[in-house]
Structure formats: structure tokens, C-alpha cells
Amino acid sequence: RSSDLKLKKFFLLEEENKLVFDYVGKNRFYTKREILSSHKDFNKVIIGAHPEDYYFRVVIQTKEKVEKYKVEINKEKDKTITIQKKIK
């Protein structure tokens, strides 16, 4: 689904098995955490606001090392992000 959100930055925290997405926005909300116990690839999703710095962060914790996942960011068309396990 298309979004008006603008991705500011994407990076990996390899030691913690996390994919981190920072979006532009001065939103104020309490941090939200969701445990994904039944998901085959992801453990947890955390969304937190950083309004003083004009962004909010989405963190996805993977069950395996982040290097095993391929992240495609389509900034042009519909702004979708696809996360797939890499084929060996």
C-alpha cells in the first residue's frame, strides 16, 4: 500500500539482529512493542517516536542474522519495503 511517509535512513544492527528504519515525522506517541512469537522470520517489532529530532523509528528483530535477509526499498513507485530471506 502506498504511503506519504518519507524514509530518512535505513541501517542494520548486526549484533542485535535488527533492521532499523527511520522515517521523517514529528509524531508523538508512546513506544509500541509487538512480540511475533508465531512468525517464522521475525521476533519483534518496535515503533518509537523521536519528535525532538523529527523522526520515528521502526525496528524489526530477526530470528536469524540480518545478513541472511534481503531488504528492497522502493522509494520511487509505491514506497514499499520488502524483506526476504536470501536464497543460498
Side-chain angles (χ1 to χ4, degrees):
R1 182 169 106 160
S2 182
S3 170
D4 291 333
L5 298 174
K6 183 178 177 189
L7 183 64
K8 178 179 178 178
K9 181 169 49 169
F10 164 70
F11 59 96
L12 306 173
L13 292 175
E14 294 179 12
E15 311 80 42
E16 301 176 38
N17 294 337
K18 291 180 179 177
L19 308 168
V20 182
F21 303 89
D22 288 345
Y23 288 91
V24 174
K26 195 175 178 182
N27 304 1
R28 289 194 174 274
F29 56 87
Y30 292 110
T31 298
K32 298 173 177 147
R33 293 174 176 82
E34 185 72 30
I35 305 289
L36 305 173
S37 55
S38 63
H39 198 282
K40 67 179 184 143
D41 292 314
F42 308 124
N43 286 327
K44 189 186 315 181
V45 175
I46 304 164
I47 304 171
H50 299 267
E52 64 284 352
D53 295 321
Y54 298 99
Y55 76 96
F56 67 94
R57 176 168 286 170
V58 177
V59 178
I60 301 172
Q61 186 175 38
T62 60
K63 290 189 176 176
E64 296 186 48
K65 296 199 176 291
V66 290
E67 304 89 49
K68 293 188 175 193
Y69 295 88
K70 176 181 175 184
V71 179
E72 292 180 3
I73 300 170
N74 183 340
K75 293 181 182 178
E76 299 300 319
K77 187 179 175 189
D78 56 6
K79 301 180 186 175
T80 57
I81 296 174
T82 306
I83 304 168
Q84 298 177 325
K85 263 197 176 165
K86 292 179 182 175
I87 298 172
K88 296 178 183 181

